[in-house]
Every structure is written in C-alpha cells, then in structure tokens.
Amino acid sequence: EAQVTQNPRYLITVTGKKLTVTCSQNMNHEYMSWYRQDPGLGLRQIYYSMNVEVTDKGDVPEGYKVSRKEKRNFPLILESPSPNQTSLYFCASNDRTSEAFFGQGTRLTVV
Amino acid sequence: DAKTTQPPSMDCAEGRAANLPCNHSTISGNEYVYWYRQIHSQGPQYIIHGLKNNETNEMASLIITEDRKSSTLILPHATLRDTAVYYCIVRVANAGGTSYGKLTFGQGTILTVHP
C-alpha cells in the first residue's frame, strides 16, 4: 500500500530540546515536502527536497532543518524548538506524474 | 502558481450532489487544477485533477470552464463522510524543477454534509 509514514503522531516537548520528526515513503518518489498547519493560516510549506541531497527552503523555513540522505526518508529537525513552533506538521511525497501523498500528521506542542 | 478563490463554507444534504466552485482567473496555460480534501486534522487527500477537459474518477467529477478561469468539483452522492475542507489548487505540472514539490494551499471550502 502506498504510504507516507510520520512519527511520532503526537509530541509534547520543552523549549530548546532538540527533536526530530521522521517521515518515510514507500513509493520511490523524488519529491518530499514538509508543511505546517496553523488555524487561520492554512498549510504552509517549510522545506522540500527534489532528490537525495537536494533540499531547499519553502515559505516558512526559519527554525527548521531537513536532510535527505536516502530517497525514502526526509526527517524534520527542530534544533531548538520554541512555543511558536507548536503546530500540526505534515510530510508529503510525489513524483513528476503523481499527485501528492500526505502523512497522517504530527501534532507538536512546545511548552 | 495561480491564486484560487473558494467560498469559505457550503452545506449539502446527504445523498445529494455537492458542487464546490473554484475561481482561478489568472491560471496559465500550463497549469493544472487539483482538488484535495482534508477530513478533520488528517493529512490532505488527493481527489482529482485536470487541465482543460472534464475529468471523472471514482470519487468525483471535475468540470473546468472553457476559458479555464473557474472549475467545479462535483461529489455526485454526498455522504456524511464527505464532510471535510476542500482545497482547490492550481499548479504547473510540466515545467520541471521545484514546481513539482510545492502545493500552495488557500483556506479551502468547509463542506458540511447533513442527514
């Protein structure tokens, strides 16, 4: 089954404590992206990757890092989380001919 | 990518057709119209897309006007499980490069299907 898997689904952490949200896809897609969703602001792209070792900033990249060492994985790293990064996060993947597939989301709370 | 305009909310009776409009008056010739929906706080789900011809799949139909400045997503027999936020997105699909990796979401239309 075509799938994008994010972990964890829910996370509560404290300000400044580094965390990583993992994302994995099983469709051999070239493109992977991270979005955050906030009330009234909709879904906004954080970072995207066009292939292994190729990443670029989206609309709201501040405070986030990503890496793409393998085609299937695209982790989102918060080096020093702050309360304004409390949000619902989605990972997505697609290739040139397919629609985007989204993960089930990670609800992050930073206190 | 072109901007889209959708009504903020719509209601539909269960079993009836739901017709969700979208305006995209600045769409370019190489931009497709995509529809996604998001049920509660789940990940967005692809529904359908098209360039200029009407399209139909097992979920819905997409009607694009001849001038391509607007489109309508049709759920032929809405059920309670179709209650969701529906997003209309236009994006370049054949230009290569970064365009494939980004979807620009607006506020969408909250569709409520009632018994």
Side-chain angles (χ1 to χ4, degrees):
Chain A
E1 181 190 352
Q3 223 169 4
V4 177
T5 303
Q6 295 178 227
N7 280 297
R9 295 288 309 279
Y10 302 91
L11 179 60
I12 301 174
T13 190
V14 297
T15 299
K17 186 176 181 182
K18 180 180 178 179
L19 67 91
T20 299
V21 184
T22 64
C23 175
S24 180
Q25 51 99 359
N26 63 0
M27 296 163 280
N28 202 37
H29 283 165
E30 294 176 64
Y31 295 84
M32 297 186 75
S33 303
W34 277 102
Y35 294 81
R36 62 177 289 175
Q37 186 170 31
D38 303 289
L41 297 176
L43 281 145
R44 296 176 293 168
Q45 193 183 51
I46 302 170
Y47 266 95
Y48 62 92
S49 169
M50 292 179 282
N51 216 322
V52 174
E53 303 292 1
V54 183
T55 63
D56 207 346
K57 298 176 180 178
D59 297 320
V60 287
E62 294 78 21
Y64 304 95
K65 284 177 57 177
V66 293
S67 69
R68 188 97 180 271
K69 293 182 169 48
E70 304 166 283
K71 199 171 186 179
R72 64 182 291 126
N73 296 324
F74 191 44
L76 180 69
I77 303 157
L78 285 73
E79 295 269 5
S80 183
S82 62
N84 64 12
Q85 293 178 298
T86 292
S87 188
L88 179 58
Y89 291 86
F90 291 103
C91 179
S93 76
N94 66 285
D95 66 22
R96 295 182 186 224
T97 59
S98 80
E99 70 273 19
F101 290 79
F102 284 79
Q104 286 303 298
T106 296
R107 189 170 292 280
L108 172 66
T109 302
V110 184
V111 299
Chain B
D1 291 341
K3 187 175 178 180
T4 62
T5 304
Q6 299 177 251
S9 64
M10 295 183 66
D11 287 339
C12 179
E14 189 176 21
R16 306 298 291 264
N19 299 288
L20 291 91
C22 179
N23 286 318
H24 31 79
S25 58
T26 60
I27 193 169
S28 300
N30 61 349
E31 288 183 312
Y32 283 68
V33 180
Y34 281 76
W35 283 84
Y36 285 78
R37 73 179 181 183
Q38 186 176 24
I39 296 172
H40 193 46
S41 293
Q42 297 177 22
Q45 175 191 24
Y46 166 81
I47 301 172
I48 199 167
H49 76 282
L51 183 62
K52 55 183 178 180
N53 297 320
N54 298 339
E55 302 287 345
T56 296
N57 63 20
E58 65 278 3
M59 290 181 69
S61 294
L62 174 61
I63 308 297
I64 303 174
T65 58
E66 194 167 341
D67 63 7
R68 302 207 326 119
K69 293 185 176 182
S70 65
S71 60
T72 301
L73 177 74
I74 301 172
L75 307 178
H77 305 286
T79 71
L80 299 179
R81 288 178 293 180
D82 291 322
T83 293
V85 180
Y86 287 78
Y87 297 99
C88 169
I89 298 165
V90 292
R91 56 170 283 199
V92 176
N94 291 317
T98 63
S99 63
Y100 293 107
K102 180 169 184 175
L103 296 172
T104 300
F105 288 84
Q107 294 301 308
T109 295
I110 300 172
L111 175 67
T112 303
V113 181
H114 51 85

